[in-house]
Amino acid sequence: MKSKHSKDKKRNIIIIIFRIISILVIIYCLIYIFNWYMENKKSADMLSNVTNSSILDTIEIEIPNNENSESTEDDSKKIIAYELDFDNLSSINSSTVGWITVFGTSINYPVVKGSDNSFYLSHSFDKSYNKAGWIFADYRNKFDDTDRNIIIYGHNRMDSSMFATLKNTQKQDWLNNPNDHYLTFSTPSRNTSI
C-alpha cells in the first residue's frame, strides 16, 4: 500500500513540475510575442512619422525605353518618385543617405549608413534599440556618385515590413505588370530609377 501511495505522490510531483514549467514557457512566449509586436509597432510609427514629415511632393522621372536604341522622348516612360526633405531626415538621423522605393511592394523607406554592417540590424531610424532594425546601406558604399553599385540591407520581417515584400517581385502578377518593374533611389543630390 505504501509503495502505491509513494508512486502516486511522485507522479503528482512530476505533474506539478510539468505544469509549472509549461506555465513559465507560456509566459515567456507571451512576453516574447508582446515585445515583437511592440518593436514592430514602434518601427511602423517611426516610418509613418518620417514619411509624413519628409515626403514633400511627388515628381515624375523620365525613363528612356531601352527596347529601342533610337528612342525618342515619346518612347520614354514617366514614373513617380518623391521630392524629399533631406534636411528633416538628417535632423532625425545624420546618417541618412537616401530613400528607396520598390514598385509593387511595400518597400518605401529612408536608407541610413552606419560605420559597420551590424548597428542597424538592431536599431531603428532614430538609432534607438529595436530588433526590427532598419533599411541600411553597406558601410563601404560611397554616396558621391562614384559607386556604380549600392548594397542595401534589411530584415525580412514577418509583419511584411522592411524587405519582406521583396518576394512579390517573384510572383506572376508582379511580373505581368510592367509598371511594377522599377525602383527609385533618391539621395540629396539626385533621383535615380532602374
Side-chain angles (χ1 to χ4, degrees):
M1 192 78 156
K2 211 173 198 188
S3 71
K4 185 175 187 227
H5 179 66
S6 77
K7 282 183 183 180
D8 286 344
K9 191 173 182 179
K10 285 180 184 179
R11 189 176 338 135
N12 286 341
I13 290 173
I14 290 172
I15 289 172
I16 290 171
I17 291 172
F18 179 76
R19 286 180 180 168
I20 290 172
I21 290 172
S22 297
I23 290 170
L24 291 174
V25 167
I26 289 169
I27 290 170
Y28 173 80
C29 290
L30 290 173
I31 291 170
Y32 184 84
I33 290 168
F34 177 77
N35 287 337
W36 179 83
Y37 171 79
M38 291 306 294
E39 286 176 338
N40 289 338
K41 184 173 179 351
K42 286 178 189 174
S43 185
D45 290 347
M46 173 65 64
L47 179 62
S48 178
N49 291 339
V50 169
T51 299
N52 291 337
S53 65
S54 300
I55 294 179
L56 302 174
D57 203 358
T58 57
I59 56 176
E60 289 185 340
I61 300 176
E62 276 195 40
I63 311 246
N65 184 352
N66 292 332
E67 295 174 13
N68 183 353
S69 60
E70 300 174 15
S71 74
T72 64
E73 274 189 41
D74 293 339
D75 291 337
S76 65
K77 178 173 182 67
K78 292 183 180 180
I79 63 168
I80 300 296
Y82 296 116
E83 180 183 341
L84 297 157
D85 184 351
F86 276 100
D87 291 335
N88 181 58
L89 289 168
S90 292
S91 72
I92 301 168
N93 186 331
S94 60
S95 301
T96 304
V97 293
W99 190 289
I100 187 169
T101 304
V102 179
F103 289 56
T105 72
S106 63
I107 300 168
N108 190 28
Y109 287 88
V111 178
V112 291
K113 177 182 155 186
S115 58
D116 58 38
N117 285 341
S118 61
F119 181 78
Y120 285 106
L121 289 172
S122 59
H123 289 81
S124 189
F125 182 71
D126 65 353
K127 298 184 180 182
S128 64
Y129 180 79
N130 188 326
K131 286 184 185 177
W134 201 258
I135 303 297
F136 64 97
D138 192 285
Y139 76 98
R140 295 165 289 201
N141 280 131
K142 299 180 191 99
F143 289 88
D144 58 3
D145 297 331
T146 58
D147 273 355
R148 289 183 50 97
N149 297 304
I150 302 294
I151 301 168
I152 300 177
Y153 303 99
H155 289 298
N156 177 5
R157 300 287 293 172
M158 290 178 67
D159 68 337
S160 296
S161 65
M162 305 299 167
F163 280 167
T165 57
L166 193 57
K167 63 185 173 227
N168 291 358
T169 62
Q170 298 174 351
K171 294 181 179 176
Q172 197 60 44
D173 51 335
W174 188 92
L175 295 169
N176 291 338
N177 185 354
N179 292 326
D180 284 345
H181 299 176
Y182 298 97
L183 72 81
T184 59
F185 187 72
S186 302
T187 64
S189 61
R190 63 190 224 170
N191 288 312
T192 306
S193 180
I194 55 172

